[in-house]
Amino acid sequence: MSEADKVGAVAEELLERIPSLADCRVGVVLGSGLGSFADALEDVEVVSYDQVEHLPQTGVPGHLGRLLV
């Protein structure tokens, strides 16, 4: 499977899990020390990276590897 096909498969799966993702216009990638920002969000859908085939896993200790919408 090509990388483009993998990206398409990830997008398709995420849209199936979280249909409201299609309406998102802004994304924020949080790095070290910013997990408290994510913890403060309300009314979110959460998907762990390890639940989605072809989504790279985090290798950094302490990083939770999750998508919040």
Side-chain angles (χ1 to χ4, degrees):
M1 178 178 274
S2 73
E3 290 302 310
D5 290 337
K6 289 177 185 178
V7 169
V10 168
E12 195 173 300
E13 181 170 346
L14 289 174
L15 285 169
E16 285 178 15
R17 288 174 177 254
I18 308 173
S20 64
L21 187 60
D23 297 327
C24 291
R25 297 291 176 245
V26 175
V28 178
V29 177
L30 301 177
S32 298
L34 296 174
S36 61
F37 175 84
D39 293 337
L41 296 175
E42 298 176 3
D43 193 30
V44 297
E45 299 276 347
V46 180
V47 176
S48 292
Y49 289 3
D50 62 0
Q51 296 176 331
V52 181
E53 187 176 7
H54 306 301
L55 195 60
Q57 304 303 302
T58 181
V60 179
H63 286 226
L64 299 178
R66 57 189 186 154
L67 173 73
L68 287 73
V69 177

